[in-house]
Amino acid sequence: MLRQWPGLKAVGVDPLPEAIAQAAANVRAAGLEHRIELRTGLGQDIADTDAFDLVFVPSAFIPEPDVRAIVKRSHAALRPRGWLLLAMVNPGPDALGDALARFRTTMWGGTVFEKGAAQDLVDQSGYADSRLLPGPTGAPVAFVAGRKRG
C-alpha cells in the first residue's frame, strides 16, 4: 500500500521482539524506514487517540480475548470516520474445508469466529457502517469492516 500511495505512513505492532527485528530488516531493505514505524507491544495497549485512518487486525493469529480488546481500543485510536478492518479465517466451502480452516487458526493461536460473531463484535464496540466483506470465492480470509463515527 505504501508503494501505491506515497503519502501513506504505517505503524506495525507485534508483541515479539524477534518479529519486530525481522520487520525492521524488511522495512530497511524496502527503503521505507521513514514511512513505517515499528513498535514492540500489544495492540490493545496502543495509547494513541484519533491517530489512525485504518486499523488492521489479523484475528487468525491473535487469541479471542485480545482480539476483543484490540477492536475496542482501536475505536479510540482511529480518527473520526477511520476504518477498522478485522481479518478472519474464511470457513471452507464444505465440512472438510471448514474443519481445516478452524484447525489452522487454532494451531496459530488465533480466533475462530462463529457466523455473525465478528460483525457483532464490531457493532458492539461502537463502529458504524459495519459489513462483512467475504472476498473472492475460495479466498482463505474474509473481513468485517466498521467505521468510527465522525
Side-chain angles (χ1 to χ4, degrees), residues 83-117:
W83 286 95
L84 171 79
L85 189 59
L86 176 59
M88 58 189 176
V89 170
N90 195 14
D94 54 33
L96 178 59
D98 183 52
L100 288 171
R102 290 173 178 276
F103 176 73
R104 278 192 309 271
T105 303
T106 301
M107 293 301 295
W108 294 333
T111 301
V112 176
F113 287 104
E114 297 302 323
K115 186 175 176 108

Side-chain angles (χ1 to χ4, degrees), residues 2-3 8 10 26-37:
L2 274 76
R3 293 188 198 291
L8 188 67
N26 294 343
V27 167
R28 278 190 304 279
L32 294 170
E33 55 270 36
H34 62 288
R35 295 180 48 211
I36 299 176
E37 175 188 348

Side-chain angles (χ1 to χ4, degrees), residues 29-99:
L32 294 170
E33 55 270 36
H34 62 288
R35 295 180 48 211
I36 299 176
E37 175 188 348
L38 298 172
R39 301 178 187 176
T40 303
L42 299 172
Q44 62 266 39
D45 293 338
I46 294 291
D48 302 82
T49 302
D50 295 331
F52 306 112
D53 294 313
L54 174 73
V55 171
F56 175 75
V57 181
S59 70
F61 307 103
I62 305 170
E64 186 173 351
D66 295 340
V67 170
R68 292 183 174 284
I70 292 167
V71 167
K72 289 176 183 168
R73 177 62 192 105
S74 294
H75 192 272
L78 283 166
R79 290 185 180 106
R81 301 196 46 78
W83 286 95
L84 171 79
L85 189 59
L86 176 59
M88 58 189 176
V89 170
N90 195 14
D94 54 33
L96 178 59
D98 183 52

